[in-house]
Amino acid sequence: MKKIIYPGTFDPIHYGHIDIAKRASKLFDEVHICISDNLEKNPLFTHDERVSMIEECLDDISNISVHSNPKNLVVNFARDCGAVAIIRGLRHVSDFEFEFQMAMMNYHLNPNIPTILMMPAEQYIHLNSSVVKEVAKLDGDVSTYVPDCVLDRLISKYKS
Ligand code: ADP
């Protein structure tokens, strides 16, 4: 039984994240999406809101589960659930430096849990959650970037 952790802020989840999660679900027995905090990001959605959006977006894939991991190292979360690796998405060269540094730090924290970097399909290379929020906030159309359940929440968040 090979489990993998897919950590991130997912604020909110978009089709680039979904692409990586679906690919991982075909390669591993279980994918545990792990919502973690990033000190540099001030999230728009609460952990509970992010969990329920991701669950709705991926409810057709039985080997993906969603977990909130607010105050715990990703490597410790991975160790505690018996994961064999961490998977991260890699969009372009500019992601590489950050992902490489994080992978090395996680390796030093726990050398038993390697990081796998995976590229999404080409049409999702330009996507990130900040751009989605920026466009949605200014009333732009983000329906090609996020599923309907996320779109509805973005619209109501910015209306309020
Ligand atoms: P972001 O806020 O940039 O979307 P997250 O912290 O939510 O980032 O991302 C979690 C993981 O998903 C990271 O490994 C990130 O590189 C990856 N990811 C983000 N956007 C994409 C995308 N468009 N395609 C593939 N992977 C992505």
Side-chain angles (χ1 to χ4, degrees):
M1 179 64 86
K2 293 221 185 302
K3 300 177 190 172
I4 193 156
I5 303 300
Y6 181 25
T9 38
F10 303 104
D11 184 50
I13 188 165
H14 52 63
Y15 284 128
H17 296 134
I18 291 172
D19 183 78
I20 299 292
K22 286 188 172 173
R23 287 165 190 249
S25 74
K26 292 182 186 142
L27 296 170
F28 294 88
D29 299 306
E30 283 181 18
V31 178
H32 293 248
I33 293 181
C34 166
I35 302 173
S36 294
D37 286 330
N38 180 329
L39 292 181
E40 279 158 30
K41 293 181 183 171
N42 184 18
L44 176 66
F45 293 99
T46 65
H47 269 251
D48 286 348
E49 287 171 327
R50 282 177 272 165
V51 168
S52 74
M53 278 188 279
I54 300 173
E55 281 177 345
E56 253 183 81
C57 294
L58 293 166
D59 73 343
D60 55 328
I61 304 182
S62 61
N63 65 339
I64 297 182
S65 57
V66 190
H67 308 264
S68 179
N69 183 45
K71 290 192 170 39
N72 187 16
L73 284 171
V74 166
V75 281
N76 290 348
F77 179 86
R79 178 202 60 206
D80 294 345
C81 69
V84 294
I86 294 167
I87 191 162
R88 298 277 296 172
L90 194 65
R91 287 161 287 197
H92 22 63
V93 180
S94 54
D95 274 351
F96 184 76
E97 202 176 341
F98 177 76
E99 293 297 342
F100 183 78
Q101 189 185 26
M102 180 117 82
M104 284 301 115
M105 176 55 83
N106 283 333
Y107 176 78
H108 281 280
L109 290 169
N110 188 339
N112 297 317
I113 303 178
T115 298
I116 295 173
L117 299 178
M118 185 185 268
M119 287 169 286
E122 198 187 349
Q123 69 263 36
Y124 305 126
I125 288 283
H126 64 295
L127 259 188
N128 69 51
S129 298
S130 304
V131 165
V132 168
K133 285 182 283 190
E134 206 62 45
V135 174
K137 191 176 177 182
L138 299 172
D139 223 11
D141 179 10
V142 292
S143 60
T144 53
Y145 305 145
V146 295
D148 286 350
C149 64
V150 177
L151 188 64
D152 293 346
R153 264 120 153 167
L154 272 170
I155 291 169
S156 57
K157 202 55 123 175
Y158 285 125
K159 264 194 190 144
S160 64

